[in-house]
Amino acid sequence: MRAAVLTGPGAVEVTRDWPEPECGPDDVVIAVRAVGVCGSDLAVVDGKRAVPHLPWALGHEAIGDIVRVGDNVAPDRLGERVAVEPNFPCLSCPACDAGRTAVCPKRRILGINEPGALRERVSVPARFAWTAPAGLGDEDLVCVEPLAVALAAVARAGLTAGERCLVVGAGAQGLLVCLAAQAHGAVPFVVDPHEGRLATAAGLGAAAMPDGMDFPVVFETSGVPVALETAIERCGPDGRIVLIGQSAVPARLSTFAVVQRRLTLLGCLIYDHPADFAAAVDRAAELRPGRILRGRYPLARAHEAFAQARELPGKTWITFEHLEEHPR
Ligand SMILES: [Zn+2]
Ligand SMILES: [Zn+2]
C-alpha cells in the first residue's frame, strides 16, 4: 500500500510497497481518509525530533473508516467513521493509574515512536479509535486531536469567562487555543510575526495584541524560544503562562520578572486519556475546528504539504482517495 515516509532530513517520499498493518485482537484497521499536519510532524521531518529508524511513516492526526476488527472488538464497529487518538499510554503505570496518561513514561505515539498514520491503512487499539458524531464533517473530525490539546490547555490554565488571554503564535495550535478560549467565554488576543496567520486569527474573532496591555493568562503556542520573552513581558501580576509549543533550544527568562510579578509557568502536554479526548469529540460540532484548515494536498503531494505547512496560514491537511469515494 502507499505511505508517505521520511527517508532523510527534509526528504518526504511516497512509497507504494509499505507493508499492510497487522490487526491484533484488540485492534481495528482503519482506511485513512485524511491526516492533519502538525508542528511535531514538522520537527520529525526537519530531523529535530529523532525517530527509531528510516524510512519512517509520518503523521498522527488521522481520521478514517474501520475496515477490519480484531477478535476482541465488537464486529458492529466495522464501517464506523473514526478519529484516531494517536497517543497510546500503557494504562498500567502509576501515572496512568492516577489519570495522568499524558506523562506515561511508556506512552506510544503515532508518527513519533510508532509508525505514523500517513498511509492507506493503519491499525490502532480499538479504544483509541473514537466514533465520529453523526453529522460531523471530515474537516471538523480531522481537527479533533489538536482541538483536544487546545481544550486541555485552556482547562489547565483555569481560564474563566470574561477573562482576556494572549495567544502567542497564530499557527494551527494557536488558532485552536483561540477557539477553545472563546468557548470558555474568554477573550483571546493574538500576536504573530506572520501577517497571513494574524489575518486568519482575526477571521476567527481573535483581536491583534494591543500595545501596552497585559494579560492574566498567556498561551505560548509557537515553540520559538524568543516568544517566551513576549509571553513573560505581557503577563500581568499573578498571571499564568501556559506553554504548549516546544523547543529543545534554551529560552531566556528573567527570574526578576517571574518573581516580581509572581508568574506561574505551566507546561501543557497533549491530553489525558480518555476524558480529554472524549470532550474534544463531543465539542467539535459546537467549536467547528475545521475552520482552521487551509492548504489541502493529496497523498502523492505529501512532500509539498510538509514543505509549505510552515508558511501557509491555518492547518495543512493531506487527503486520501477514500475521502472522495465516501464523502461525509
Ligand atoms: Zn498534532
Ligand atoms: Zn502508563
Side-chain angles (χ1 to χ4, degrees):
M1 66 176 179
R2 288 168 305 144
V5 297
L6 185 72
T7 56
V12 176
E13 288 174 24
V14 175
T15 171
R16 298 202 147 267
D17 52 10
W18 201 254
E20 286 288 337
E22 285 176 16
C23 187
D26 298 310
D27 295 343
V28 295
V29 174
I30 295 164
V32 177
R33 286 175 172 260
V35 176
V37 173
C38 169
S40 58
D41 301 317
L42 297 176
V44 167
V45 168
D46 289 348
K48 287 180 183 154
R49 213 164 157 164
V51 288
H53 54 80
L54 296 174
W56 182 252
L58 295 160
H60 61 275
E61 296 176 2
I63 61 167
D65 300 87
I66 295 179
V67 291
R68 201 176 148 192
V69 298
D71 291 341
N72 299 339
V73 179
D76 63 359
R77 294 205 66 186
L78 265 179
E80 245 181 34
R81 191 169 59 116
V82 295
V84 173
E85 179 181 354
N87 290 276
F88 313 145
C90 78
L91 303 178
S92 61
C93 71
C96 285
D97 284 345
R100 301 181 296 113
T101 68
V103 292
C104 169
K106 287 182 270 181
R107 180 161 54 94
R108 298 185 292 136
I109 316 164
L110 282 186
I112 303 287
N113 60 18
E114 284 278 306
L118 256 173
R119 44 189 159 133
E120 288 178 86
R121 283 167 292 282
V122 63
S123 97
V124 303
R127 66 184 296 158
F128 295 96
W130 290 81
T131 311
L136 188 72
D138 287 324
E139 288 85 354
D140 290 325
L141 191 63
V142 80
C143 292
V144 159
E145 197 270 344
L147 177 65
V149 174
L151 286 170
V154 163
R156 198 162 158 81
L159 201 60
T160 55
E163 201 167 37
R164 62 175 190 275
C165 64
L166 176 65
V167 179
V168 180
Q173 200 60 61
L175 296 174
L176 289 172
V177 169
C178 290
L179 295 185
Q182 286 165 343
H184 264 67
V187 184
F189 292 80
V190 290
V191 57
D192 193 294
H194 188 297
E195 282 299 323
R197 286 199 290 259
L198 272 184
T200 308
L204 296 170
M209 177 179 76
D211 288 338
M213 184 186 275
D214 66 12
F215 297 85
V217 180
V218 180
F219 295 91
E220 202 307 283
T221 70
S222 73
V224 178
V226 71
L228 181 64
E229 295 178 29
T230 305
I232 289 177
E233 208 176 280
R234 290 309 190 101
C235 195
D238 286 331
R240 295 96 80 196
I241 297 176
V242 182
L243 304 174
I244 303 171
Q246 303 178 60
S247 168
V249 178
R252 279 154 44 100
L253 174 153
S254 144
T255 51
F256 188 81
V258 174
V259 173
Q260 289 291 319
R261 270 181 278 139
R262 301 202 305 184
L263 305 182
T264 302
L265 265 69
L266 268 175
C268 276
L269 178 62
I270 58 163
Y271 36 75
D272 291 323
H273 176 82
D276 288 343
F277 211 89
V281 172
D282 285 349
R283 301 191 69 184
E286 166 206 345
L287 272 75
R288 292 190 296 119
R291 289 182 281 165
I292 72 162
L293 289 175
R294 291 296 184 275
R296 176 177 169 174
Y297 297 84
L299 179 66
R301 291 170 59 205
H303 67 285
E304 278 175 71
F306 285 102
Q308 293 178 20
R310 225 174 304 265
E311 290 310 314
L312 286 175
K315 182 179 268 302
T316 295
W317 61 318
I318 295 170
T319 57
F320 290 66
E321 292 82 357
H322 192 71
L323 179 92
E324 281 92 43
E325 288 159 8
H326 309 273
R328 285 293 288 267

